[in-house]
């Protein structure tokens, strides 16, 4: 994998797989600050659990996990688009995504972005399906909430997704639905998130504060709402988008067998 997999996710997994009963807590030592011990535990916990089953820490486990989420994301995208717009467009969407070097590079890097994207798409697809039904049951909304919660359990960006998703659904209820059923569906969505958020709160009771946030000091909200800072971020984003090669593309090209990976992916699709 690439840097985040080496320095964060797989390092955390090794601590969680520590032979001593309390060895996993060492990952929260201040000396481990640069490995971001406050990051959500889904990926390292999954790898550590598989290592326990295997009896040893083998590199194949995070590789298989990354491949599984990549394949699941492609299948989910094809199925979601096919359900909404037909099988041909579903296959086309899957082919376009699979042929992207950035997508392929992210998959090979073993980053958490692939599982995160899977849970984002799963939550959105379930809510779309629920909105299409005349009398949607609680199941789809609960599952969508569970998927959104799993996104928060995967990466910090999942917290923002939960806030945006909840705010969007609340706005929809207030503006479009204006019915008791809309509030009930929103409650089912939040109920689906609740178990995962409880796990996260328990995990956060062990972790140190995020040093990016803690380093902002008392002026955090002032900086967050600062117009010059927002313009600077937008300018840098536009500069990055104008670059001919992203990190993921470069990672794919530096992999000696990248052309075989791309050929195999295109052939499967």
């Amino acid at each position: 994998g690439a840097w985040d997999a080496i320095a964060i996710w797989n390092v955390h997994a090794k601590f969680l797989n520590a032979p001593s009963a309390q060895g996993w807590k060492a990952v929260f030592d201040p000396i481990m600050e640069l490995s971001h011990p406050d990051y959500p535990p889904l990926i390292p916990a999954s790898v550590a659990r598989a290592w326990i089953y295997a009896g040893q820490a083998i590199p194949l486990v995070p590789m298989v996990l990354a491949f599984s989420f990549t394949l699941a994301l492609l299948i989910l995208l094809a199925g979601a688009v096919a359900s909404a717009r037909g099988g041909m467009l579903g296959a086309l969407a899957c082919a376009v995504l699979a042929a992207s070097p950035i997508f392929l590079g992210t998959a090979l890097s073993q980053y958490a972005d692939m599982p995160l994207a899977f849970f984002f798409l799963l939550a959105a697809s379930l809510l779309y399906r629920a909105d299409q039904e005349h009398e949607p049951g609680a199941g789809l909304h609960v599952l969508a909430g569970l998927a959104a919660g799993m996104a928060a359990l995967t990466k910090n960006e999942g917290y923002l997704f939960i806030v945006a998703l909840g705010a969007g659904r609340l706005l929809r209820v207030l503006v479009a639905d204006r019915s008791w059923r809309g509030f009930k569906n929103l409650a089912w969505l939040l109920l689906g998130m609740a178990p995962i958020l409880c796990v996260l709160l328990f995990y956060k009771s062990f972790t140190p504060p995020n040093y990016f946030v803690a380093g902002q000091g008392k002026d955090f909200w002032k900086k967050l709402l600062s117009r010059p800072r927002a313009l600077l971020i937008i300018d840098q984003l536009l500069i990055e988008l104008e670059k001919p090669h992203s990190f993921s593309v470069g990672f794919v090209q530096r992999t000696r067998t990248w052309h075989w990976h791309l050929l195999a992916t295109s052939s499967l699709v």
Side-chain angles (χ1 to χ4, degrees), residues 231-252:
L231 292 176
L232 177 62
I233 292 171
I234 293 173
D235 287 342
Q236 291 301 312
L237 176 62
L238 293 176
I239 291 173
E240 289 296 321
L241 291 175
E242 289 175 357
K243 289 183 178 179
H245 297 295
S246 69
F247 170 79
S248 296
V249 174
F251 182 78
V252 173

Side-chain angles (χ1 to χ4, degrees), residues 126-215:
L126 289 169
L127 288 176
Y128 175 82
R129 182 58 184 250
D131 291 341
Q132 299 307 304
E133 294 189 0
H134 181 65
E135 291 290 340
L140 289 174
H141 290 92
V142 171
L143 288 175
L146 184 63
M150 293 298 288
L153 198 63
T154 303
K155 206 175 180 188
N156 282 341
E157 285 85 341
Y159 301 138
L160 181 60
F161 178 72
I162 284 181
V163 173
L165 185 66
R169 299 303 290 186
L170 178 60
L171 185 63
R172 184 180 188 275
V173 171
L174 296 175
V175 176
D177 286 350
R178 297 180 181 179
S179 65
W180 169 248
R181 187 181 67 179
F183 284 103
K184 184 172 68 173
N185 291 335
L186 179 60
W188 285 121
L189 178 71
L190 297 176
L191 182 64
M193 298 178 187
I196 308 300
L197 295 181
C198 289
V199 172
L200 272 172
L201 287 174
F202 176 73
Y203 180 75
K204 288 293 185 179
S205 67
F206 294 97
T207 66
N210 183 287
Y211 72 80
F212 285 132
V213 177

